[in-house]
Amino acid sequence: MPTPDRTSLDDIVRAARDLLESEGLSRLSMQAVADRVGVRAPSLYKRVRNRDDLVRLVAEATVADLTQRLDSVAHATPGDVRLRLPQLARALRTFAHEQPAGYRLVFSPETAATTASAETVALAVEPLLTVVAELAGPDDALNAARTVTAWATGFIAMELAGAFQLGGNLDSAFEFGITRLVAALAARSPLG
Amino acid sequence: MPTPDRTSLDDIVRAARDLLESEGLSRLSMQAVADRVGVRAPSLYKRVRNRDDLVRLVAEATVADLTQRLDSVAHATPGDVRLRLPQLARALRTFAHEQPAGYRLVFSPETAATTASAETVALAVEPLLTVVAELAGPDDALNAARTVTAWATGFIAMELAGAFQLGGNLDSAFEFGITRLVAALAARSPLG
DNA sequence: ACCTGAACACCGTTCAAGT
DNA sequence: ACCTGAACACCGTTCAAGT
């Protein structure tokens, strides 16, 4: 005689995301998630393989949010590449400020088992890579994209970790960085 | 009647560092460390406050290694700033390749409780900041230093995480980045 | 077909009792 | 003064038994 469902995968992932942002990854336990959705911990294993799998699903859900965000920014500002790149970089940083723990899960995962798939992450940052390629030209596209993503993710990771200790304004530091990078990466013989 | 010491803080930290690199942070357990140094787990608490404290000591020991490394590179190459900055950046990357788990502990710590002190980390990267300040001039020194450290730590973090998925040569990508950054950050009116 | 209590292995940590 | 076994709270996970 079937028991009616008392929760769902969506509920579980949503509860896990809430816990992640409010309590941190180490406090995201199966018991805490089960409490939130109103079942006992063993019941979660009907819907996720194990804790790592659940954390990975949280990462995937976060990546999906980011994909939507960057896509909408990319479409909202079809102007000059030199303006679009900074706007995408700022959108990434804003997203990180809104969901710092989720952002870290995607861009600084602790272990491969909890990492979102390379494909979905690639899809999320695709607008960034496209605009960098446009800026740097085809020969340098890959190296330039790696330089920009390394800088952006490094800056945000340090900011979230509180690693910028010497005072000063971080918004200004971010703008300084993106401005200099745009100048440094622009193709030497621009067409327009 | 006193019992003779069967281990020491040095032994414990050394065993923890070995375990960290060979097994990963999650397998660095008090029991595993105790096994390695030949005592029972509760005995470790005579020498460290708790596991976080031990992990933090591992981070501090790693930072001390890095300090020595960067200092020796800085002193070995007293030439042009535009050459010294790339050499320091390469030394940081080499260090990360040699001790990836220790490096991550220092530059991508999971929690504040296991983080090396801001002062010792600042001391370690001081040669890098000095050379960037020389390159960029006093007005832009701080922003330029943040741009370079964000890029370098971001690049290395992505490399260690296997996040560069699109092929190509990572050594070349690193050289591309540092070359463009040096050009982008050099003071507009260089003296020499 | 989902949910649960009971159980197991493992971990960090405390502490009284040994030497 | 250090070391130990025993114990506790907590966690992830499995599974037989319920409905």
Side-chain angles (χ1 to χ4, degrees):
Chain A
M1 199 169 295
T3 305
D5 293 13
R6 272 169 230 179
T7 184
S8 68
L9 185 56
D10 267 10
D11 278 351
I12 290 168
V13 172
R14 191 160 26 239
R17 292 183 77 178
D18 287 350
L19 268 168
L20 175 66
E21 295 297 343
S22 62
E23 305 282 336
L25 182 57
S26 69
R27 305 270 272 270
L28 167 43
S29 68
M30 298 301 271
Q31 312 232 21
V33 172
D35 284 351
R36 288 223 170 193
V37 301
V39 298
R40 301 289 180 172
S43 299
L44 300 178
Y45 292 83
K46 284 285 158 186
R47 298 196 163 76
V48 300
R49 187 163 13 200
N50 52 37
R51 181 181 179 273
D52 279 354
D53 190 42
L54 174 54
V55 174
R56 191 186 54 73
L57 290 171
V58 169
E60 295 284 5
T62 306
V63 169
D65 280 3
L66 178 62
T67 303
Q68 205 170 11
R69 179 76 61 94
L70 293 187
D71 278 354
S72 81
V73 170
H75 287 84
T77 60
D80 184 356
V81 184
R82 290 160 185 258
L83 300 178
R84 216 151 77 240
L85 177 52
Q87 276 178 314
L88 284 166
R90 284 181 212 118
L92 179 67
R93 183 166 175 247
T94 300
F95 185 87
H97 292 170
E98 290 169 3
Q99 300 190 42
Y103 174 91
R104 286 203 53 181
L105 207 54
V106 172
F107 289 101
S108 308
E110 292 178 8
T111 166
T114 61
T115 305
S117 81
E119 289 77 24
T120 56
V121 178
L123 191 69
V125 299
E126 193 261 339
L128 209 43
L129 303 197
T130 301
V131 72
V132 172
E134 226 178 304
L135 178 74
D139 288 358
D140 291 330
L142 184 57
N143 281 340
R146 284 174 170 168
T147 301
V148 170
T149 54
W151 167 77
T153 58
F155 188 100
I156 294 167
M158 290 183 69
E159 183 180 17
L160 293 183
F164 290 128
Q165 297 274 347
L166 301 176
N169 187 297
L170 292 187
D171 293 346
S172 304
F174 193 82
E175 292 301 320
F176 176 93
I178 194 65
T179 301
R180 295 296 179 107
L181 278 170
V182 167
L185 298 177
R188 266 64 189 266
S189 320
L191 297 176
Chain B
M1 200 168 292
T3 307
D5 293 13
R6 269 167 232 183
T7 184
S8 68
L9 185 57
D10 267 12
D11 278 352
I12 291 168
V13 172
R14 193 163 22 239
R17 294 183 75 177
D18 287 350
L19 268 168
L20 175 67
E21 295 298 342
S22 63
E23 305 282 336
L25 183 56
S26 69
R27 304 269 272 269
L28 167 43
S29 68
M30 298 302 270
Q31 312 232 20
V33 172
D35 285 351
R36 287 222 170 194
V37 301
V39 298
R40 301 290 179 170
S43 299
L44 300 178
Y45 292 83
K46 284 286 158 186
R47 297 198 163 75
V48 300
R49 188 162 11 199
N50 51 36
R51 181 181 178 275
D52 279 352
D53 190 42
L54 173 54
V55 174
R56 191 186 52 75
L57 290 170
V58 169
E60 295 284 5
T62 307
V63 170
D65 280 5
L66 178 61
T67 303
Q68 205 170 13
R69 178 75 62 94
L70 293 186
D71 278 353
S72 81
V73 170
H75 287 85
T77 60
D80 185 355
V81 185
R82 289 160 186 258
L83 300 177
R84 216 151 79 240
L85 177 53
Q87 277 178 312
L88 284 166
R90 284 180 211 118
L92 180 66
R93 183 165 174 248
T94 300
F95 185 87
H97 292 170
E98 290 169 3
Q99 301 191 41
Y103 173 90
R104 286 202 54 180
L105 207 54
V106 173
F107 288 100
S108 309
E110 293 179 8
T111 166
T114 61
T115 306
S117 81
E119 289 77 25
T120 57
V121 178
L123 190 69
V125 299
E126 193 262 340
L128 210 42
L129 302 198
T130 300
V131 71
V132 172
E134 226 178 305
L135 179 73
D139 288 357
D140 291 330
L142 184 57
N143 282 339
R146 283 172 171 169
T147 302
V148 170
T149 54
W151 167 77
T153 58
F155 188 101
I156 295 168
M158 290 183 69
E159 182 180 17
L160 293 183
F164 289 128
Q165 297 272 349
L166 302 177
N169 187 297
L170 291 187
D171 293 347
S172 304
F174 192 81
E175 292 300 321
F176 175 92
I178 193 66
T179 300
R180 295 296 179 107
L181 278 171
V182 166
L185 298 177
R188 267 62 190 268
S189 321
L191 298 175

